[in-house]
Amino acid sequence: MLKPRATATRDLVSLDGLWRFAISTAVGERPWTRTLDTPLEAAVPASYNDQFTDSAIRDHVGRVWYQRTVRVPRGWAGERVILRVGAATHEGRVYVDDVLVAEHIGGYTPFEADITEQVGAGGEFRLTIGVNNELTHTTVPPGRITVTQDGRRTQTHHHDFFNYAGLARSVQLYSVPSVHIEDITVVTGLDATTGTVAYEVETSAAAAVRVRVLDAAGAEVAAADGASGTVRIDDVTPWRPGAAYLYDLVAEIVDGDTVLDTYTQLFGVRTVEVRGTRFLINGEPFYFTGFGKHEDTPVRGKGHDDAYLVHDFQLMRWTGANSFRTTHYPYAEEVLELADRQGIVVIDETAAVGINLAVVGGLGGRPHPPTYSPDTCNDDTRAAHAQAIRELVARDKNHPSVVMWCIANEPSTHEEGAREYFEPLVELTRKLDPTRPVSHTASLLTTFKNDLIADLFDVLCLNRYYGWYIATGDLATAETYMEADLRGWCEKYTKPILITEYGADTLPGLHSVWDQPWTEEYQAAYLEANHRAFDRCAAVVGEQVWNFADFQTSNGIHRVDGNRKGVFTRDRRPKAAAHTLKARWSSLNGRKPSSSG
């Protein structure tokens, strides 16, 4: 799916701003058929939960309604008019006046509607979007709705972040010619100093297509006719971590000398490969340093914010980080675009977090419902999961920063039914994109002894909390546990190991001369103990700390104003651990520490 852009043949109008807003219980039946009777307005893009002081809105389970009037530019006569919603968490319905024009399930990927037949150039229409935040055992992520004794509906789920909802990404109106480019796929390769660029351009109807490749200075370096083919770039400048270089693929639909439609797709020439226990970018070993993150800021919730985006990237650069994982859902497209331009490496993850009822039993192994069954995660869940993978790959396939797909976070992969659930999803991901490795992250409950699916994946991604949830406050024991765990995986599989989560909750300003959990000193010492264990295992290809910044979670007595594992506070002030990471990562520069054994 192409991100809307203004080009010589396309126009783009932002619909961001303040919209009329109401929860479903306040507006009665069929609210899209009239002007919303509400005194409330909500900002778009932003989650709605924290914008208001009414807890009934913040904790609402069900549908909410956004509405505004939109005028189609008068110069769009004869053009197709497309409405695009960047994301509606977790399900969206779009109405143009009284007509339902789009429905979409999945809270973090975009969807569109061609509304040409419902609107006219220069005309005005009423745009209403209903957004439902409900999670069930057949959604991704899964969840469960219960009703309290006083009749309130409550949402439970097994992911440890607040269930922010609403229109967290931009809403846009754009025009395209009647015959237009619908999609572009770019796959690159390297042959010594020559880059290969395989391309495919999909059009709305049969049409003549030509493509041109421009370098960063705008000079043409390759060209071809036809909707698909391969071009070569001599003396290519590859896209490298920390040294991004982007080319333009200019695709045009032509009729003789007339350009009917044009769209420019940025891309970088780079390769990704897993070879034995090494992760290679452009044939060179790469060592990941960075974070799991969240789209989470005060007031905005999961709403995209360009200022926070810029500042977060600056802070990652400051620490020496070269990568992050989009925990635990696809991030806004602007995030990946900046990663492309900045040379930051991205592990791109679906919203499949919480497919793990074993967490109900906890680390103590208490009885719990089966994760995979007709009444829990079932064929319908897997179908929703498959669709999430399709939409993720379709949206993000052309980003050079994306080097690996992560199709789930901490699923229960030691339970009966795990292989039957995941094997088709891995096959689907490889079919959609055979050029990138595929992974998932293993929780503490999954070990090299009980795991049932690790052989399906290219990289072993481990989330480990020795020294926090296990051996709390005993870092000597924690370090021993971590090294033994890593060596167990190494002996069983010849695959790269990436530590995708390790961290300790920390209250800024809490200090101690002892190894006392929750203090800033303990967080720093915890990280150093883990690093020593990582460095003694040659198969480890990277470390991504949980978490970049503190973030909001649902109610729980084990959380004090959210999850405090950030090395930065929620408002991006560094804890002592940020300086610990800066000292280590700035010296690594994407290379494995030399002390590996």
Side-chain angles (χ1 to χ4, degrees):
M1 175 181 286
L2 296 177
K3 185 183 179 187
R5 303 186 193 282
T7 75
T9 59
R10 299 167 175 231
D11 289 317
L12 178 64
V13 175
S14 172
L15 302 182
D16 293 349
L18 294 179
W19 293 49
R20 289 186 290 274
F21 177 87
I23 61 176
S24 57
T25 54
V27 291
E29 299 294 325
R30 297 171 58 84
W32 61 90
T33 62
R34 58 190 180 276
T35 300
L36 283 182
D37 183 13
T38 175
L40 301 179
E41 296 179 79
V44 175
S47 303
Y48 64 78
N49 308 79
D50 292 351
Q51 294 188 50
F52 305 99
T53 57
D54 186 351
S55 61
I57 297 176
R58 188 173 198 265
D59 300 332
H60 175 70
V61 177
R63 196 171 300 279
V64 301
W65 295 97
Y66 292 81
Q67 191 180 84
R68 59 162 291 169
T69 55
V70 179
R71 184 172 296 280
V72 181
R74 62 182 182 176
W76 287 13
E79 301 287 290
R80 307 301 300 181
V81 180
I82 314 297
L83 179 70
R84 189 183 204 256
V85 180
T89 309
H90 298 276
E91 179 255 337
R93 295 180 185 175
V94 180
Y95 296 85
V96 171
D97 293 326
D98 295 350
V99 179
L100 176 66
V101 296
E103 294 182 273
H104 181 263
I105 296 174
Y108 303 99
T109 45
F111 60 102
E112 296 182 338
D114 186 327
I115 62 173
T116 310
E117 305 307 316
Q118 285 77 39
V119 301
E124 192 174 72
F125 65 92
R126 183 178 64 252
L127 175 60
T128 309
I129 302 179
V131 183
N132 188 354
N133 66 353
E134 295 179 0
L135 298 172
T136 70
H137 69 273
T138 61
T139 62
V140 174
R144 181 169 57 92
I145 296 172
T146 58
V147 179
T148 63
Q149 290 183 344
D150 60 0
R152 289 177 294 110
R153 301 172 79 241
T154 61
Q155 177 77 67
T156 59
H157 46 73
H158 299 120
H159 58 260
D160 185 31
F161 54 93
F162 191 84
N163 188 36
Y164 282 114
L167 297 175
R169 314 261 172 87
S170 290
V171 181
Q172 298 164 310
L173 196 70
Y174 70 98
S175 68
V176 294
S178 57
V179 179
H180 55 272
I181 296 165
E182 291 192 328
D183 198 15
I184 298 173
T185 303
V186 178
V187 177
T188 64
L190 282 169
D191 182 6
T193 60
T194 300
T196 59
V197 183
Y199 70 90
E200 182 174 354
V201 180
E202 296 181 22
T203 57
S204 61
V209 174
R210 70 185 182 199
V211 300
R212 295 177 293 126
V213 177
L214 310 180
D215 66 14
E220 184 176 302
V221 294
D225 292 323
S228 62
T230 299
V231 297
R232 299 171 68 85
I233 305 173
D234 295 327
D235 297 319
V236 70
T237 302
W239 185 96
R240 292 188 174 95
Y245 191 94
L246 297 176
Y247 291 88
D248 289 338
L249 185 128
V250 181
E252 297 172 327
I253 295 178
V254 295
D255 182 4
D257 293 332
T258 302
V259 176
L260 303 180
D261 189 28
T262 181
Y263 187 92
T264 298
Q265 176 64 59
L266 276 72
F267 69 95
V269 178
R270 64 103 183 93
T271 62
V272 178
E273 180 186 0
V274 169
R275 190 184 305 163
T277 59
R278 297 188 300 168
F279 193 100
L280 307 177
I281 298 179
N282 300 334
E284 300 175 354
F286 179 72
Y287 191 82
F288 295 79
T289 57
F291 300 96
K293 293 179 86 274
H294 265 298
E295 292 185 311
D296 177 276
T297 58
V299 182
R300 300 166 185 82
K302 292 198 178 307
H304 175 70
D305 184 284
D306 283 339
Y308 268 101
L309 171 61
V310 169
H311 190 56
D312 284 0
F313 271 59
Q314 286 288 301
L315 291 177
M316 285 192 288
R317 286 285 195 194
W318 177 82
T319 64
N322 60 25
S323 65
F324 63 90
R325 176 166 60 110
T326 69
T327 48
H328 298 296
Y329 37 81
Y331 288 178
E333 291 158 287
E334 291 82 359
V335 178
L336 299 184
E337 290 174 333
L338 187 56
D340 291 342
R341 297 193 297 271
Q342 295 287 315
I344 299 294
V345 170
V346 178
I347 300 170
D348 209 357
E349 186 165 286
T350 72
V353 54
I355 302 178
N356 192 337
L357 296 184
V359 297
V360 176
L363 298 179
R366 297 184 299 274
H368 61 84
T371 297
Y372 310 98
S373 77
D375 297 323
T376 52
C377 294
N378 55 29
D379 291 346
D380 291 335
T381 316
R382 188 174 60 219
H385 195 162
Q387 183 61 21
I389 293 171
R390 291 187 191 96
E391 294 184 10
L392 176 69
V393 174
R395 194 195 73 165
D396 296 346
K397 61 189 174 184
N398 293 325
H399 289 287
S401 59
V402 175
V403 302
M404 183 159 61
W405 306 115
C406 183
I407 65 171
N409 179 74
E410 295 192 350
S412 186
T413 60
H414 60 281
E415 282 191 66
E416 182 180 350
R419 193 172 190 90
E420 291 78 3
Y421 182 93
F422 276 100
E423 191 164 15
L425 298 177
V426 176
E427 293 174 354
L428 171 65
T429 309
R430 294 195 199 287
K431 181 179 178 181
L432 294 170
D433 178 17
T435 70
R436 290 179 175 89
V438 182
S439 67
H440 81 289
T441 65
S443 75
L444 264 174
L445 298 176
T446 298
T447 71
F448 62 87
K449 296 178 181 180
N450 65 13
D451 177 84
L452 300 175
I453 66 170
D455 61 294
L456 300 174
F457 296 89
D458 300 299
V459 178
L460 303 176
C461 294
L462 306 180
N463 296 353
R464 292 296 183 260
Y465 291 94
Y466 300 116
W468 190 248
Y469 296 121
I470 294 176
T472 311
D474 184 353
L475 292 179
T477 298
E479 185 176 337
T480 301
Y481 283 171
M482 175 61 82
E483 184 173 355
D485 193 347
L486 294 175
R487 296 200 179 279
W489 288 98
C490 287
E491 291 170 5
K492 190 170 183 179
Y493 299 101
T494 307
K495 295 175 182 283
I497 297 175
L498 175 58
I499 311 302
T500 38
E501 289 185 23
Y502 65 113
D505 283 276
T506 304
L507 291 178
L510 185 63
H511 298 284
S512 176
V513 297
W514 302 291
D515 281 343
Q516 182 176 332
W518 291 92
T519 64
E520 293 195 48
E521 289 78 11
Y522 186 81
Q523 186 182 35
Y526 167 97
L527 295 177
E528 291 170 339
N530 277 271
H531 296 158
R532 290 191 294 269
F534 302 163
D535 292 350
R536 290 193 292 269
C537 181
V540 171
V541 297
E543 54 202 55
Q544 292 186 330
V545 172
W546 189 258
N547 190 284
F548 170 74
D550 295 344
F551 57 92
Q552 192 56 255
T553 62
S554 301
N555 296 332
I557 60 172
H558 63 300
R559 298 293 181 219
V560 182
D561 191 29
N563 190 303
R564 296 302 193 96
K565 290 187 179 68
V567 301
F568 296 95
T569 62
R570 199 180 187 207
D571 59 355
R572 277 46 175 184
R573 289 173 294 170
K575 303 176 188 177
H579 297 275
T580 299
L581 294 175
K582 177 178 172 61
R584 173 176 169 84
W585 290 350
S586 297
S587 66
L588 294 183
N589 195 27
R591 296 186 296 270
K592 175 74 176 173
S594 58
S595 60
S596 300

